[in-house]
Amino acid sequence: MDKIKIVYRGGEGEIVEKKSRFIATVCPIHSEEDAVMFIEKIKKKYWDARHNCHAFILGERNEISRCSDDGEPSGTAGKPMLDVLLGAGLHNVCVVVTRYFGGTLLGTGGLVRAYSQAVQAGLENSLIVEKKLCRRMKIYTDYNGIGKIQYILGKSPAITLNTEYTERVVVEILIEKGNFDSLCKEIVEATSGRAELETLDECYCAAAEGEVIIF
């Protein structure tokens, strides 16, 4: 896939419904083993809670999905939690919602709403990024051509990683795979073929909190 939406940094959110506390803890995962370890960690942390329900999805196409009501009425916790993750378009993520019972029964609809809202609160406090498949490239040019190249890069979605000024100028960039060919063509035309282009590796990258993340 050229793009994939993930949780880069997990978070925690809490709601209170009729004195019951619902605490959602979100974590990025890379395997079922990661999910199991995270779920057990949260269960130990909140060992005195009435329920620790969970949901997780794995794979670029969500090949694996699991959920558990952990003692709540069937279909009132794990499935709604999973639906929120899927509805957000996320991949490779696990969430555990811990419930401290407040003494009042919420009913089927109330439970579904509470567990769904708790997951949403957890996601709001997580850092979510969209990983994009990019190509890394180096552009070699003389000092006469750098102005044109910087102009082209400035109006493109390319990310400049580094610029070296020696006998000539070397600019290292990341560009989304889908925009690669058109950018190369524009640079070649603008410099009348004098710029040399070197294609490096493919990688996933994302922008978050003013920084470029390379996966």
Side-chain angles (χ1 to χ4, degrees):
M1 295 179 69
D2 289 347
K3 297 180 181 180
I4 182 170
K5 197 174 179 183
I6 64 164
V7 171
Y8 182 68
R9 185 174 64 239
E12 185 178 288
E14 179 177 339
I15 68 165
V16 177
E17 185 68 28
K18 294 182 180 178
K19 297 183 180 180
S20 279
R21 293 175 63 204
F22 295 83
I23 307 165
T25 312
V26 181
C27 181
I29 56 173
H30 302 287
S31 66
E32 286 194 73
E33 290 75 16
D34 286 349
V36 171
M37 288 176 62
F38 173 66
I39 293 163
E40 290 304 314
K41 175 183 175 182
I42 299 303
K43 284 184 175 181
K44 288 179 181 178
K45 179 179 179 180
Y46 296 112
W47 59 271
D48 57 339
R50 177 73 67 90
H51 306 281
N52 281 289
C53 308
H54 71 259
F56 67 86
I57 45 180
L58 275 166
E60 290 187 352
R61 292 174 175 78
N62 299 333
E63 291 86 351
I64 299 173
S65 63
R66 304 277 189 273
C67 63
S68 167
D69 295 312
D70 192 38
E72 292 282 28
S74 179
T76 61
K79 181 62 165 56
M81 291 165 59
L82 186 63
D83 287 344
V84 173
L85 298 181
L86 293 170
L90 292 170
H91 303 263
N92 301 332
V93 61
C94 181
V95 60
V96 179
V97 175
T98 302
R99 181 188 183 189
Y100 284 95
F101 184 56
T104 302
L105 297 175
L106 301 183
T108 300
L111 286 172
V112 169
R113 285 191 298 273
Y115 278 100
S116 299
Q117 290 170 5
V119 175
Q120 290 166 354
L123 293 178
E124 286 171 3
N125 292 322
S126 302
L127 178 58
I128 296 172
V129 301
E130 186 175 52
K131 292 184 355 180
K132 299 176 181 180
L133 185 60
C134 296
R135 282 185 177 172
R136 199 192 309 252
M137 179 172 70
K138 283 187 177 181
I139 306 165
Y140 300 86
T141 183
D142 56 27
Y143 283 81
N144 293 326
I146 187 59
K148 291 180 180 178
I149 290 171
Q150 287 176 332
Y151 172 76
I152 292 169
L153 295 178
K155 64 184 181 68
S156 79
I159 299 169
T160 300
L161 298 176
N162 186 43
T163 305
E164 296 179 5
Y165 295 90
T166 53
E167 293 96 359
R168 56 180 177 169
V169 185
V170 183
V171 185
E172 184 177 352
I173 67 166
L174 281 171
I175 181 70
E176 283 186 52
K177 187 176 179 181
N179 296 319
F180 177 79
D181 290 339
S182 59
L183 180 66
C184 290
K185 181 181 178 182
E186 190 172 0
I187 291 173
V188 169
E189 290 178 351
T191 63
S192 301
R194 289 191 296 273
E196 180 186 340
L197 308 180
E198 180 186 3
T199 304
L200 304 174
D201 57 330
E202 287 189 353
C203 63
Y204 278 101
C205 68
E209 297 182 334
E211 296 184 1
V212 177
I213 306 165
I214 299 176
F215 298 88

